[in-house]
Each structure stands twice: as structure tokens, then as C-alpha cells.
């Protein structure tokens, strides 16, 4: 009896060579560095890895990082959607400038944001608001660097929302809130979740914007990125790599869950059409 294996068919426009090039590029840029990081985190064995991630200061930094990042993602989900709505549905003087400012955190070095926030909300605050070395200061800094994610995720979806459905709902007596909740929000939900997930992933690994305004106080305002830097400075690269792997795992898990939820929501919408 002869067993024959079917050769998998490759479909698309670039062909096998293009797919192989893309996979090779991703391997060099992403997979190999991540594999090296994971390998380095186990230099002292599983016991050493466990001791590194369960050290009290490591756990405290992870708690601060995850807690602050969740708050930032939630705020972005609300305010980012509002900003996207204003940019798409409203007309006002200077709209083009505001739209361009949304992408500024992508172009601006994040350490500049930390310097500006320290000057504005530090000990010598000209507005008498002191956020230096506080968790609200971390939140403000991370909100600055994660601003574009939800806005840019929601904008194109909002542009494609069928306005006729909204008008039909209004003609049936639905108020603005009911129309948004039952007609618009289901279409925006996958984009909001995706943008919030990206904001969370960016916040969880951010360093530059929090390095000055945060104060780097262990168990209070020390982010995991600052803890990792500290471990490298005291010549404990294995501990730094171990905590980095935990951050990587948390970010990947959150993005994977949000992707699955978004795909499920899109399938439901397609089935209901």
C-alpha cells in the first residue's frame, strides 16, 4: 500500500518565492531575536527563570505595568473612539491640523514626551499639577504615546458605516444613543478592541515616555521596562531576559485573544447580513 502526500497548494499573487522571502524576513527581524531572548532567559535553568520572575520587585513592577496599561487601554478605547468620531463626522476650523497631530507620537521620540510632561507636571509645574513619581503621571505619559492606535483603527471603519441605516433608525424613533449602541457600535467594536489591544501592548513595553515622569520608584511607579534596565545595569541579564519574556507572553496573549474576539464579531456581522 502506497501512501501519497498531497503537496499543499500555494495561492496568491506573489507565489512561493514571495512567501519564502516574507517568512525569511520575519524570521530574521522577529523570530530569531525572540528565540534568542527566550533562550537567554533560561541560562540558569527553569529554577533560575522562576526565581527571576517571582522576585518581589519583579512582581511589583509587573503589577504596576499591567495595571497602568489596562487603565490606558480603557481610556483610549473611549477617548480614541470619540476623537475618531469628531474627525470623521464633524467639520471645524483646523481639522487638518488636529488630524495630523494624532500621528505626532509616532514621529516624536518618546523621551521628549517625558521631558515635556516633567516640565509641565513636575515639581516646578507652571499649572500647579504635580504628577511626578505618581501612577497618574505614568498614565498621562502612556496616553500620549498610545493616542493614535484606537483613533486610526476606528477612523476607516467609521467612514464605511452605512449612514442610511442610521437614518432609518432615526426615522423609526431611535435617539442618538440608541442608534450608536445598536447600529454603530457593533460595527466599530472589532476596531476598538484591536486598537485598545495595540495600545495595551505598546504601553506594557514603553520606556522612554515614563523614564523621567515616573520616578522609577520600586513597588510604586517602577515599570517593568525600567526594572529590566536596572537588572542590566547591575549585571543580571538573565533576570532582565526572564521578565522580558513575561512581558512578551502577556502582550502576545492579549493580542491573540482580542484578535479571536474581533474575528468572531466579524463573522457574526457577516452572518447577520
Amino acid at each position: 500500500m502506497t501512501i501519497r502526500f498531497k503537496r499543499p497548494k500555494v495561492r496568491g499573487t506573489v507565489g512561493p518565492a514571495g512567501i519564502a522571502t516574507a517568512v525569511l524576513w520575519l524570521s530574521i527581524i522577529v523570530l530569531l531575536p525572540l528565540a534568542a531572548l527566550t533562550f537567554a532567559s533560561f541560562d540558569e535553568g527553569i529554577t533560575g527563570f522562576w526565581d527571576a520572575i517571582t522576585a518581589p520587585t519583579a512582581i511589583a513592577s509587573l503589577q504596576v505595568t499591567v495595571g497602568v496599561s489596562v487603565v490606558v487601554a480603557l481610556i483610549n478605547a473611549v477617548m480614541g473612539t470619540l476623537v475618531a468620531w469628531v474627525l470623521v463626522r464633524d467639520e471645524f476650523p483646523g481639522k487638518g491640523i488636529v488630524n495630523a497631530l494624532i500621528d505626532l507620537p509616532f514621529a516624536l521620540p518618546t523621551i521628549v514626551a517625558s521631558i515635556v510632561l516633567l516640565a509641565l507636571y513636575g515639581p516646578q509645574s507652571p499649572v500647579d499639577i504635580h504628577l511626578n513619581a505618581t501612577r497618574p503621571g505614568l498614565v498621562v505619559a502612556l496616553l500620549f504615546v498610545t493616542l493614535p492606535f484606537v483613533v486610526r483603527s476606528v477612523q476607516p471603519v467609521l467612514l464605511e458605516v452605512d449612514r442610511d441605516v442610521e437614518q432609518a433608525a432615526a426615522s423609526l424613533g431611535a435617539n442618538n444613543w440608541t442608534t450608536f449602541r445598536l447600529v454603530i457600535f457593533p460595527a466599530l467594536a472589532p476596531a476598538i478592541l484591536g486598537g485598545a489591544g495595540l495600545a495595551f501592548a505598546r504601553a506594557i513595553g514603553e520606556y522612554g515616555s515614563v523614564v523621567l515622569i515616573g520616578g522609577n520608584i520600586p513597588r510604586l511607579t517602577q515599570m517593568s521596562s525600567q526594572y529590566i534596565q536596572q537588572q542590566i545595569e547591575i549585571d543580571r541579564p538573565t533576570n532582565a531576559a526572564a521578565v522580558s519574556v513575561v512581558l512578551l507572553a502577556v502582550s502576545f496573549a492579549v493580542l491573540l485573544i482580542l484578535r479571536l474576539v474581533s474575528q468572531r464579531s466579524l463573522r457574526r456581522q457577516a452572518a447577520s447580513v
Side-chain angles (χ1 to χ4, degrees):
M1 181 179 178
T2 303
I3 301 176
R4 297 182 178 180
F5 296 96
K6 292 183 178 180
R7 184 178 180 181
K9 295 182 179 180
V10 178
R11 299 179 180 179
T13 59
V14 296
I19 295 175
T21 302
V23 171
L24 177 62
W25 178 254
L26 290 175
S27 298
I28 294 174
I29 299 299
V30 179
L31 296 181
L32 286 179
L34 294 182
L37 175 66
T38 304
F39 181 79
S41 67
F42 287 95
D43 278 349
E44 298 178 5
I46 296 178
T47 302
F49 176 85
W50 181 254
D51 290 342
I53 64 175
T54 57
T57 50
I59 293 177
S61 70
L62 288 170
Q63 290 174 339
V64 171
T65 301
V66 173
V68 170
S69 298
V70 168
V71 172
V72 168
L74 292 175
I75 295 176
N76 268 302
V78 177
M79 299 307 300
T81 303
L82 176 61
V83 172
W85 182 280
V86 170
L87 291 176
V88 172
R89 295 295 180 88
D90 296 326
E91 296 295 334
F92 54 91
K95 179 179 177 179
I97 298 176
V98 174
N99 201 19
L101 287 175
I102 300 298
D103 294 324
L104 185 61
F106 283 149
L108 191 68
T110 54
I111 187 66
V112 175
S114 192
I115 294 173
V116 172
L117 291 174
L118 185 64
L120 186 60
Y121 301 122
Q124 307 298 326
S125 171
V127 294
D128 199 28
I129 299 177
H130 305 282
L131 300 179
N132 184 41
T134 64
R135 292 189 185 182
L138 296 177
V139 171
V140 171
L142 294 176
L143 284 174
F144 175 84
V145 298
T146 59
L147 171 65
F149 291 104
V150 174
V151 177
R152 295 312 187 201
S153 296
V154 172
Q155 268 185 305
V157 180
L158 195 56
L159 286 169
E160 296 178 359
V161 171
D162 191 355
R163 301 292 292 271
D164 292 337
V165 179
E166 298 178 45
Q167 294 174 0
S171 66
L172 294 174
N175 57 32
N176 291 337
W177 169 244
T178 301
T179 302
F180 177 82
R181 181 170 56 89
L182 299 179
V183 177
I184 302 175
F185 180 75
L188 298 182
I192 295 173
L193 285 174
L198 291 174
F200 176 86
R202 171 64 186 273
I204 207 173
E206 177 59 26
Y207 177 79
S209 63
V210 300
V211 66
L212 298 178
I213 191 69
N216 196 20
I217 302 175
R219 293 183 173 87
L220 181 60
T221 62
Q222 186 179 63
M223 299 280 287
S224 291
S225 57
Q226 296 173 299
Y227 176 81
I228 291 169
Q229 175 67 24
Q230 184 184 69
Q231 294 302 300
I232 293 175
E233 290 177 350
I234 62 177
D235 197 24
R236 293 180 181 175
T238 302
N239 292 0
V243 176
S244 299
V245 168
V246 173
L247 289 180
L248 174 64
V250 171
S251 297
F252 180 78
V254 170
L255 292 176
L256 179 61
I257 292 172
L258 291 177
R259 176 63 60 87
L260 294 176
V261 171
S262 297
Q263 289 178 348
R264 184 177 180 182
S265 177
L266 289 173
R267 285 196 296 267
R268 286 181 176 179
Q269 291 180 23
S272 63
V273 174

